[in-house]
């Protein structure tokens, strides 16, 4: 319906240009939005307010001219002017109801598009250090990142999911020393415990598995434990593989899988870090000071220059990030989205500056970033801070075990990434309308229950009869529900373009609310076969869109609850 109104307004503008009322070269964006108050119609436009000045008329005068110039259309029942010059459109029932047949005919494809035209996009998310179980912050990144991938795929992009393992550096050394200490019978209270060692109970599991000579199958390698507590290199190789496997199992339990696992260590082994440094030096963007090698990041928008290589010869953390993203560019990803925690905010400018300094044709502002804020977990109104498994933080597995995958994913992805999130375990476990995921899933299950009832009553759904009588869907609650269904493709496209999966989450809540309102106000099981089947078709269309939207959130659509 929105597209129909835009097309009608385009026709009206052409007429006004021909009449000399508007400049011939005027090409304004035409904005049409659903109205909040259905007493003011189904859709509205502010076009008359935008164009009043170039037309030399008041907004209301131009609104009257626009309405007079609108082409004839059976899709519109009424058009009226509101306020200073808004134009409100009332959809004809038959035209509004066509969304029902459109949804049912399209099925799982409703809301999907080819906007991306098969363009390659790489989305990097989670990218946790392989030093312990995934915490709830990683879980939020996993939920948001996976939803972004699903949205991009739904809009026609070829998406590659990538996980970057920081398997080099001080944190890995601390992990190795921690496992070695446990293997030698030490605990964190011992005076010989590593100063920056990891204290979680999972370190005991890694040490015991290493001493037992276990074999770990992790993504791209198989590691057999030597069992020698003095062989720190062997301990490191085993511990990293062990924790990579644990993280992968947690992510699979969360319904998240990756196409590529990229190791930081490979950047050094393949010479890509060294090559990046040489290129930066060659391009003249570096200098030496106090025995360190600096990059002039201030030439590319940073607030101060950054050290690339310290006086002891060690690279700073942002240099391998530059080399890694240069590798992404060389792999042909002209579009890259990084979903990371808000603590990475300071690295965005540095990485982009480093990439510009390479002078490799990389666009300014590449890559895109989506940064999520912290998550606080509460139970009975009190913050939960500790995990039996990790010791110092709440893990993703804790949440999945407590409330299930569906609630965990929905709660973590259905809020804006840049807003802090309180994860209420009690609310996520409740079977009430206050629980957003339950509220949405219950709407889907309610339609399924309604259809089971029609079958048991010997009144199966008659598709041809329903499609022939969609014009009977005249109640205000039915029209509100149909208008909501019609908005779904636009929501998907906008959520994908803005990398904001919470828009789909909010839409699903609104759709569920419209359905529950309609269900309670409008009787479906009436004696009139035509009306009953038309209303059943509206329920079926709602069920389909709920299922499609839940799939984009990585959440199931149960038939019974």
């Amino acid at each position: 319906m929105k597209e129909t109104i835009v097309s009608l307004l385009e026709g009206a503008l052409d007429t006004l240009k021909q009449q000399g009322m508007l400049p011939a070269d005027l090409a304004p964006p035409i904005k049409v939005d659903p109205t909040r108050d259905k007493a003011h119609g189904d859709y509205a436009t502010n076009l008359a307010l935008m164009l009043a000045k170039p037309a030399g008329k008041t907004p209301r005068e131009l609104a009257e001219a626009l309405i007079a110039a609108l082409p004839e259309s059976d899709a519109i029942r009424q058009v009226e002017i509101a306020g200073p010059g808004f134009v409100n459109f009332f959809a004809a029932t038959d035209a509004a109801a066509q969304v029902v047949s459109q949804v049912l005919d399209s099925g799982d494809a409703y809301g999907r598009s080819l906007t991306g035209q098969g363009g390659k996009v790489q989305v990097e998310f989670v990218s946790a250090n392989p030093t312990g179980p995934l915490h709830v912050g990683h879980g939020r990144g996993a939920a948001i990142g996976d939803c972004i991938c699903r949205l991009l795929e739904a809009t026609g992009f070829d998406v590659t999911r990538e996980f970057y393992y920081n398997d080099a550096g001080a944190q890995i050394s601390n992990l190795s020393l921690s496992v070695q200490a446990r293997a030698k019978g030490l605990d964190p209270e011992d005076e010989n415990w590593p100063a920056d060692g990891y204290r979680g109970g999972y370190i005991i599991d890694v040490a015991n598995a290493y001493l037992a000579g276990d074999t770990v199958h992790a993504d791209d390698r198989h590691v057999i434990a030597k069992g020698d507590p003095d062989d720190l290199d062997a301990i490191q190789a085993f511990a990293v593989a062990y924790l990579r496997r644990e993280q992968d199992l947690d992510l699979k339990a969360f319904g998240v899988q990756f196409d590529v696992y990229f190791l930081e260590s490979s950047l050094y082994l393949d010479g890509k870090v060294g090559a990046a440094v040489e290129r930066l030096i060659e391009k003249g963007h570096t200098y030496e000071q106090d025995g360190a090698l600096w990059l002039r990041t201030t030439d590319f928008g940073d607030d101060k220059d950054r050290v690339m290589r310290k006086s002891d010869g060690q690279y700073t953390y942002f240099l391998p990030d530059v080399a890694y993203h240069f590798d992404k560019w060389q792999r042909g990803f002209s579009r890259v989205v990084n979903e990371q925690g808000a603590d990475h905010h300071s690295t965005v400018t540095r990485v982009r500056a480093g990439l510009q300094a390479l002078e490799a044709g990389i666009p300014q502002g590449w890559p895109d970033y989506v940064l999520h804020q912290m998550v606080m977990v509460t139970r009975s109104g009190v913050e939960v801070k500790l995990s039996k498994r990790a010791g110092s933080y709440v893990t993703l597995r804790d949440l999945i075990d407590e409330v299930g995958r569906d609630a965990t994913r929905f709660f973590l992805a259905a809020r804006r990434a840049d807003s802090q999130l309180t994860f209420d375990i009690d609310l996520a476990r409740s079977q009430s309308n206050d629980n957003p995921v339950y509220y949405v899933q219950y709407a889907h299950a309610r339609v399924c229950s309604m259809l089971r009832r029609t079958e048991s009553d010997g009144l199966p759904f008659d598709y041809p009869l329903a499609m022939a009588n969609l014009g009977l869907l005249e109640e205000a609650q039915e029209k509100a529900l149909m208008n909501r269904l019609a908005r779904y493709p636009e929501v998907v496209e906008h959520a994908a373009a803005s990398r904001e999966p919470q828009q789909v989450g909010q839409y699903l809540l609104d759709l569920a609310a419209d359905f529950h309102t309609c269900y309670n106000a409008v009787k479906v099981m009436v004696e009139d076969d035509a009306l009953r089947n038309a209303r059943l078709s509206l329920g079926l269309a709602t069920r389909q869109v709920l299922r499609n939207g839940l799939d984009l959130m990585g959440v199931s659509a149960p038939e019974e609850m």
Side-chain angles (χ1 to χ4, degrees):
M1 179 57 63
K2 179 178 176 179
E3 291 76 10
T4 298
I5 295 172
V6 170
S7 178
L8 292 173
L9 288 169
E10 288 174 341
L13 288 178
D14 288 341
T15 298
L16 295 183
K17 289 177 184 178
Q18 292 170 11
Q19 294 174 353
M21 187 176 295
L22 290 172
D25 59 351
L26 193 65
I30 300 176
K31 187 178 181 183
V32 175
D33 294 309
T35 58
R36 293 184 179 180
D37 184 350
K38 295 308 172 185
H40 298 155
D42 299 301
Y43 293 90
T45 183
N46 65 347
L47 194 59
L49 284 80
M50 290 173 53
L51 301 183
K53 188 173 182 179
K57 294 183 176 296
T58 66
R60 286 191 70 89
E61 287 174 337
L62 185 56
E64 291 172 356
L66 276 172
I67 293 173
L70 284 172
E72 290 285 332
S73 174
D74 293 335
I76 303 301
R77 173 172 59 85
Q78 179 182 341
V79 185
E80 65 180 24
I81 303 171
F86 291 97
V87 179
N88 294 341
F89 294 84
F90 295 77
T93 300
D94 285 351
Q98 291 309 307
V99 69
V100 175
S101 61
Q102 185 182 355
V103 171
L104 296 181
D105 290 344
S106 300
D108 293 344
Y110 183 70
R112 304 181 77 90
S113 70
L114 298 176
T115 305
Q117 298 180 330
K120 290 177 63 176
V121 182
Q122 187 233 46
V123 182
E124 180 205 335
F125 57 111
V126 184
S127 293
N129 295 338
T131 54
L134 298 173
H135 55 62
V136 65
H138 294 135
R140 191 175 192 189
I144 294 172
D146 188 55
C147 288
I148 289 173
C149 292
R150 291 167 182 258
L151 282 164
L152 290 170
E153 288 171 335
T155 49
F157 289 93
D158 178 7
V159 178
T160 297
R161 295 163 165 83
E162 186 152 320
F163 189 124
Y164 178 69
Y165 276 113
N166 295 98
D167 65 333
Q171 77 277 4
I172 299 299
S173 298
N174 291 333
L175 170 67
S176 307
L177 291 170
S178 304
V179 175
Q180 183 182 55
R182 282 293 190 184
K184 291 185 174 184
L186 302 180
D187 63 49
E189 306 308 317
D190 194 288
E191 61 180 12
N192 293 317
W193 185 260
D196 295 315
Y198 294 94
R199 296 169 171 261
Y202 66 93
I203 296 294
I204 301 174
D205 297 334
V206 179
N208 289 339
Y210 176 77
L211 292 173
D214 287 0
T215 299
V216 173
H217 305 283
D219 305 321
D220 61 348
R221 66 186 64 187
H222 307 297
V223 179
I224 302 175
K226 285 189 176 182
D228 180 0
D230 293 316
D231 192 335
L232 194 59
D233 288 339
I235 290 174
Q236 177 171 310
F238 180 81
V240 169
Y242 184 100
L243 290 169
R244 283 180 58 190
R245 180 188 64 183
E246 291 296 298
Q247 291 181 355
D248 191 45
L249 291 174
D250 285 349
L251 289 168
K252 286 180 179 176
F254 201 43
V256 176
Q257 297 191 35
F258 290 87
D259 303 303
V260 176
Y261 291 92
F262 195 102
L263 304 182
E264 179 187 357
S265 58
S266 72
L267 294 169
Y268 297 93
L269 293 173
D270 297 342
K272 293 176 180 177
V273 171
V277 173
E278 290 176 9
R279 186 179 180 109
L280 291 169
I281 294 173
E282 174 193 334
K283 298 299 180 182
H285 297 297
T286 65
Y287 62 92
E288 293 197 25
Q289 181 178 305
D290 300 327
L293 183 64
W294 294 68
L295 179 65
R296 290 192 183 88
T297 54
T298 51
D299 291 346
F300 304 96
D302 202 358
D303 60 346
K304 62 181 179 179
D305 293 342
R306 305 292 173 176
V307 174
M308 291 195 310
R309 189 173 59 218
K310 295 181 287 187
S311 57
D312 62 4
Q314 296 294 312
Y315 293 117
T316 56
Y317 67 92
F318 102 93
L319 196 279
D321 281 351
V322 172
Y324 172 47
H325 285 86
F326 188 35
D327 179 81
K328 294 183 182 186
W329 179 260
Q330 291 176 315
R331 280 186 273 156
F333 292 113
S334 59
R335 291 187 181 91
V336 168
V337 180
N338 291 345
E339 203 295 330
Q340 297 172 322
D343 56 333
H344 287 80
H345 183 271
S346 62
T347 68
V348 174
T349 301
R350 301 173 200 176
V351 170
R352 287 174 172 169
L355 292 169
Q356 290 301 301
L358 290 169
E359 297 185 17
I362 298 174
Q364 290 187 4
W366 185 96
D368 293 334
Y369 284 87
V370 175
L371 303 179
H372 66 262
Q373 290 288 342
M374 64 176 290
V375 181
M376 181 174 70
V377 180
T378 64
R379 189 201 308 271
S380 302
V382 178
E383 182 178 359
V384 179
K385 294 185 177 180
L386 302 179
S387 159
K388 292 181 180 178
R389 186 180 181 201
S392 59
Y393 56 84
V394 179
T395 70
L396 173 59
R397 175 68 71 171
D398 292 334
L399 287 186
I400 297 173
D401 290 345
E402 282 274 358
V403 306
R405 185 174 86 180
D406 284 348
T408 303
R409 285 192 63 124
F410 196 94
F411 270 61
L412 292 177
R415 287 282 301 277
R416 284 183 60 93
D418 60 3
S419 64
Q420 292 192 358
L421 172 64
T422 298
F423 193 110
D424 186 337
I425 289 177
D426 300 317
L427 178 61
R429 294 185 64 178
S430 70
Q431 295 187 359
S432 71
N433 290 342
D434 294 328
N435 179 348
V437 67
Y438 177 86
Y439 187 67
V440 174
Q441 289 180 318
Y442 180 55
H444 183 274
R446 207 171 196 180
V447 178
C448 295
S449 174
M450 182 171 64
L451 291 169
R452 286 193 297 271
R453 179 184 169 188
T454 63
E455 292 287 343
S456 65
D457 288 351
L459 299 170
F461 175 61
D462 187 328
Y463 177 81
L465 183 60
M467 295 303 100
N469 290 281
L470 293 177
L472 297 176
L473 301 175
E474 296 179 319
E475 299 295 334
Q477 296 86 350
E478 292 171 326
K479 290 193 67 176
L481 184 53
M482 289 186 290
N483 284 333
R484 186 76 65 184
L485 293 175
R487 292 179 60 187
Y488 178 67
E490 179 188 356
V491 170
V492 173
E493 186 169 344
H494 192 271
S498 58
R499 322 290 195 242
E500 294 184 345
Q502 85 278 354
Q503 293 185 23
V504 176
Q506 184 58 56
Y507 171 84
L508 290 172
L509 286 168
D510 293 339
L511 177 60
D514 286 340
F515 171 75
H516 290 309
T517 298
C518 186
Y519 183 90
N520 293 327
V522 179
K523 186 177 181 180
V524 175
M525 298 304 292
V526 295
E527 292 186 8
D528 186 309
D529 287 345
L531 181 57
R532 183 181 66 254
N533 279 281
R535 289 177 173 170
L536 282 172
S537 71
L538 179 56
L540 279 167
T542 303
R543 181 181 72 167
Q544 181 67 62
V545 175
L546 286 168
R547 180 187 303 158
N548 292 359
L550 285 168
D551 182 67
L552 291 179
M553 302 292 287
V555 175
S556 69
E559 296 189 0
E560 294 183 80
M561 294 182 70

